[in-house]
Amino acid sequence: MNNNCAIVGINWGDEGKGRMVDLLTEDYDIVVRYQGGGNAGHTVINEKGKFALHLLPSGIFRDGVINILGNGVALDPENLWNEMQDVMSKGVSITPESLKISDRASLLLPWHRELDELEEQRLADKKYGSTKQGIAPFYSDKYQKKTVLAGELFYPEKLKQHLKDLLEWKNLTLTGVYGAEPISEAAVNEWVANYCEKIKPFICDTGEILKTASENGKKILFEAQLGSLRDLDYGIYPYTTSSNTTAAYAPIGSGFPGAKIDRVLGVVKAYSTCVGEGPFVSEMFGDEAEALRKAGNEYGAKTGRPRRVGAMDIVATSYGIEVQAATEIALTKLDVLSDMEQIPVCVAYMLDGKEIHRFPFPAALNDSTPVIEYKKGWMQDISGVRKWEDLPEAARDYVKFIEKAVGCPIKYISVGPERESIIVMD
């Protein structure tokens, strides 16, 4: 019985995980976000409207589904509360029954965002492309054991002293390293009152909930942020996020280390996109890139920044599938390619005069160039197609080529952003 599924990104992030989680939650009892923070956006379009979620699990729109923010998440109470207010203002109910926050999740504190911005300024033209949401300083502090756990909100006197100690330490960095103004204790206490107290009713022992649910045969969906190539250990370091984006981390970051992942759905775009800095071998430029960017509305859900676009990258995608141990693929945004007579695909890299098919060590990526093949386009609108046999022959050929090249079965084909704009393969 396949009770547990992880939905993960195969490439650089922004593959369409949110729309797949929203689609599949109909079959699951619990949705868990297990890593990352407010630094990426999952766009969901359903009967309630269009939403860009940054911290809330994408199952929040399904009645009866429990949504969990696990201990591996960078929990930003300010951003979370503001996001909850926005979603609730559009008629979506969020209660302590539908949203639960791990008491072991660490709080992303006000100075984390400030330090993130100051460091990007210091790096100048060598910046890593941070979204300036405080993610790297947060995870750095977590591994130095200098963060506050959400459960500490239930111990106000201990919390106050803990924050005071951390603030004294952090102000040394703000003033001594960056020459910035120190943060006052009063400002931190006001922030706790304004945001942390608001999310307090949602904080609980989520590990117990997951364990009990598993024992009772409930189905759990693990929702990842970003993609394989942004993973701290396996991505294009140092142009990565500061957490593990892999399905293998789901049991740890969810609060249920004993969880068994039965199914890993890897999400891949029908072409490539990349937000932020770092090597991107199959990148396209000029008018060709701009046309693809506009067709796919490729602008960051969190930042609004134009995404870098490129040819479908078989080398990077095959590596991403391997890193995630994906058992099946969801191919998204196939409809975006409908106006292209010839569709470019990066089938290999050239490195040091040799053609390679395995994704190289990050330091070698800037010296790699794409080997491009062109596939015939279908030149017709496919957004209304719901059955495989109704796709144009050229579109079917393109999908079959990708499936064979990456060595993983394609289970879903997305032909539009709406929940129902999907082809389910037998």
Side-chain angles (χ1 to χ4, degrees), residues 116-178:
D116 205 354
E117 190 153 345
L118 288 166
E119 178 60 11
E120 282 288 281
Q121 288 173 10
R122 187 192 70 81
L123 286 168
D125 60 347
K126 296 180 181 179
K127 62 185 185 295
Y128 295 156
S130 170
T131 56
K132 301 174 186 175
Q133 294 299 305
I135 303 301
F138 163 84
Y139 279 110
S140 175
D141 283 1
K142 180 177 178 177
Y143 286 103
Q144 288 190 77
K145 303 176 291 292
K146 291 187 182 292
T147 51
V148 171
L149 299 182
E152 291 182 53
L153 291 170
F154 296 103
Y155 303 89
E157 290 306 313
K158 290 183 178 179
L159 172 65
K160 194 172 183 180
Q161 185 58 50
H162 192 182
L163 283 168
K164 185 177 179 180
D165 293 343
L166 290 177
L167 182 61
E168 181 183 347
W169 169 70
K170 195 53 71 176
N171 274 336
L172 292 173
T173 304
L174 285 168
T175 59
V177 175
Y178 295 105

Side-chain angles (χ1 to χ4, degrees), residues 168-204:
E168 181 183 347
W169 169 70
K170 195 53 71 176
N171 274 336
L172 292 173
T173 304
L174 285 168
T175 59
V177 175
Y178 295 105
E181 291 294 316
I183 297 174
S184 71
E185 187 178 350
V188 174
N189 290 335
E190 182 181 359
W191 180 84
V192 169
N194 286 342
Y195 300 106
C196 298
E197 290 298 321
K198 300 278 199 329
I199 66 166
K200 193 173 172 181
F202 300 86
I203 297 168
C204 61

Side-chain angles (χ1 to χ4, degrees), residues 80-107:
L80 176 60
W81 180 249
N82 289 337
E83 186 174 317
M84 289 168 66
Q85 293 291 102
D86 179 57
V87 170
M88 288 190 287
S89 74
K90 296 173 183 173
V92 179
S93 173
I94 302 177
T95 68
E97 283 67 50
S98 63
L99 176 66
K100 299 180 185 295
I101 300 168
S102 171
D103 55 5
R104 288 184 173 269
S106 289
L107 303 184

Side-chain angles (χ1 to χ4, degrees), residues 236-237 279-281 349-352 356 358-369:
I236 52 172
Y237 191 89
F280 182 24
V281 176
Y349 295 168
M350 288 298 294
L351 179 63
D352 298 330
I356 64 169
R358 180 160 178 81
F359 196 72
F361 185 75
L365 286 167
N366 282 330
D367 297 321
S368 301
T369 56

Side-chain angles (χ1 to χ4, degrees), residues 71-363:
N71 55 279
V73 169
L75 181 64
D76 183 336
E78 182 176 348
N79 277 353
L80 176 60
W81 180 249
N82 289 337
E83 186 174 317
M84 289 168 66
Q85 293 291 102
D86 179 57
V87 170
M88 288 190 287
S89 74
K90 296 173 183 173
V92 179
S93 173
I94 302 177
T95 68
E97 283 67 50
S98 63
L99 176 66
K100 299 180 185 295
I101 300 168
S102 171
D103 55 5
R104 288 184 173 269
S106 289
L107 303 184
L108 189 147
L109 298 159
W111 51 74
H112 290 132
R113 280 193 298 272
E114 185 171 352
L115 285 166
D116 205 354
E117 190 153 345
L118 288 166
E119 178 60 11
E120 282 288 281
Q121 288 173 10
R122 187 192 70 81
L123 286 168
D125 60 347
K126 296 180 181 179
K127 62 185 185 295
Y128 295 156
S130 170
T131 56
K132 301 174 186 175
Q133 294 299 305
I135 303 301
F138 163 84
Y139 279 110
S140 175
D141 283 1
K142 180 177 178 177
Y143 286 103
Q144 288 190 77
K145 303 176 291 292
K146 291 187 182 292
T147 51
V148 171
L149 299 182
E152 291 182 53
L153 291 170
F154 296 103
Y155 303 89
E157 290 306 313
K158 290 183 178 179
L159 172 65
K160 194 172 183 180
Q161 185 58 50
H162 192 182
L163 283 168
K164 185 177 179 180
D165 293 343
L166 290 177
L167 182 61
E168 181 183 347
W169 169 70
K170 195 53 71 176
N171 274 336
L172 292 173
T173 304
L174 285 168
T175 59
V177 175
Y178 295 105
E181 291 294 316
I183 297 174
S184 71
E185 187 178 350
V188 174
N189 290 335
E190 182 181 359
W191 180 84
V192 169
N194 286 342
Y195 300 106
C196 298
E197 290 298 321
K198 300 278 199 329
I199 66 166
K200 193 173 172 181
F202 300 86
I203 297 168
C204 61
D205 180 353
T206 56
E208 182 181 21
I209 292 167
L210 288 166
K211 182 174 181 292
T212 302
S214 182
E215 289 170 350
N216 291 329
K218 300 293 185 184
K219 300 181 77 174
I220 304 169
L221 191 65
F222 299 91
E223 178 181 10
Q225 179 210 53
L226 295 166
S228 307
L229 303 178
R230 296 297 189 189
D231 183 81
L232 181 61
D233 286 304
Y234 296 102
I236 52 172
Y237 191 89
Y239 303 100
T240 66
T241 192
S242 299
S243 63
N244 291 107
T245 63
T246 58
Y249 187 71
I252 296 169
S254 68
F256 184 26
K260 182 176 181 291
I261 308 296
D262 304 292
R263 175 186 179 198
V264 178
L265 176 63
V267 187
V268 181
K269 266 183 187 155
Y271 53 96
S272 296
T273 62
C274 176
V275 176
E277 309 294 325
F280 182 24
V281 176
S282 70
E283 186 166 12
M284 292 158 54
F285 301 94
D287 294 342
E288 187 182 24
E290 190 54 33
L292 181 56
R293 188 177 293 113
K294 285 182 177 176
N297 190 29
E298 294 299 348
Y299 302 91
K302 180 67 184 179
T303 62
R305 289 187 298 198
R307 292 189 182 115
R308 299 157 69 191
V309 298
M312 172 73 183
D313 190 327
I314 298 299
V315 180
T317 300
S318 299
Y319 174 74
I321 288 169
E322 178 186 321
V323 165
Q324 296 287 11
T327 57
E328 58 200 72
I329 292 297
L331 186 69
T332 62
K333 289 201 167 186
L334 184 66
D335 55 303
V336 171
L337 303 178
S338 294
D339 291 332
M340 299 178 73
E341 288 186 37
Q342 296 289 319
I343 301 170
V345 181
C346 175
V347 295
Y349 295 168
M350 288 298 294
L351 179 63
D352 298 330
K354 295 179 182 177
E355 188 173 292
I356 64 169
H357 296 269
R358 180 160 178 81
F359 196 72
F361 185 75

